[in-house]
Amino acid sequence: MSEIRVIRGDITTFDGDAIVNAANTTLMGGGGVDGAIHRAAGPALYAACEKFGGCPTGEARLTSGFNLPAKYIIHTPGPIWNGGNYDEDMLLANSYRNSLELAEEYHCRTVAFPSISTGVYGFPIDRAAKIAITTIREFLQMANYIETVTMVCFDPTTEQAYKNAL
C-alpha cells in the first residue's frame, strides 16, 4: 500500500530515489526551488538539462541527481496562474502525473515533490494542494513501484495546505 506524506523541509536534502524540480520551461535553472536544486546538484545538471532543449508546461524530463542525495531529478514546468481560465488545473495535474510516470518507469520507490506552481507562478495554494493530492492518490492506485510520495513543503502555510488536502 502506497502512502502520501507531508513534511516541512528542504527538498535538496531528500534522500530517496527521485525529487521533482518545479522547473521553468527552459530547464536551465531559475529562482525558488529550481535555483536551489540547480545549485545543490552542481554544474553537471545544467549540462544535462541543456540537452533537452526545454520542456513544455505539464510534461516532465529526468536527469541524474548529480551531487544530491536523490538518485534522480524529475523536472516539470508547472503552469503560471492566469485566473484559472487557461487550463491551469489540467496542466498542474499533468505535471504531477507525468512526473510520477517517469518515476514509475525508472522503478523509483520514493519520490519527493515541492509545491509546484505556488511560488512565483502564483497558483492558489489550497487549489494546487487539492489537485496535487488527488492526482497523486489516483496515480498510486495503479503504481507498481512507487511506495511513498512525500510533499516537501518550504513553509508552514504550504505544509498546512497539503495536510488539509490530505
Side-chain angles (χ1 to χ4, degrees):
M1 185 73 195
S2 302
E3 75 168 320
I4 303 171
R5 297 173 40 217
V6 176
I7 64 168
R8 191 175 342 150
D10 177 355
I11 199 164
T12 66
T13 64
F14 183 79
D15 192 2
D17 293 318
I19 64 167
V20 176
N21 179 16
N24 58 47
T25 55
T26 69
L27 302 184
M28 300 278 77
V33 73
D34 188 18
I37 288 171
H38 270 267
R39 285 188 298 278
L45 177 56
Y46 186 90
C49 287
E50 205 169 28
K51 293 180 177 130
F52 292 119
C55 179
T57 301
E59 292 187 19
R61 304 290 185 263
L62 183 138
T63 64
S64 160
F66 299 102
N67 296 337
L68 296 175
K71 191 190 302 185
Y72 301 113
I73 303 167
I74 298 169
H75 309 266
T76 186
I80 296 170
W81 181 255
N82 282 308
N85 299 315
Y86 297 90
D87 295 326
E88 293 100 316
D89 290 1
M90 179 201 70
L91 290 166
L92 184 61
N94 287 348
S95 284
Y96 283 95
R97 192 176 308 102
N98 288 324
S99 296
L100 290 165
E101 284 175 4
L102 272 178
E104 188 73 6
E105 183 183 330
Y106 282 81
H107 298 189
C108 296
R109 292 181 336 279
T110 54
V111 182
F113 279 93
S115 182
I116 298 170
S117 286
T118 60
V120 295
Y121 283 11
F123 211 107
I125 184 64
D126 292 330
R127 185 171 179 153
K130 285 185 186 105
I131 292 166
I133 296 299
T134 301
T135 305
I136 292 166
R137 270 198 184 121
E138 287 171 1
F139 190 90
L140 289 178
Q141 289 175 358
M142 53 188 190
N144 294 312
Y145 298 101
I146 301 170
E147 296 168 5
T148 308
V149 174
T150 304
M151 293 303 307
V152 181
C153 304
F154 185 70
D155 60 50
T157 305
T158 304
E159 179 185 25
Q160 195 55 55
Y162 281 89
K163 284 184 174 176
N164 292 346
L166 196 57

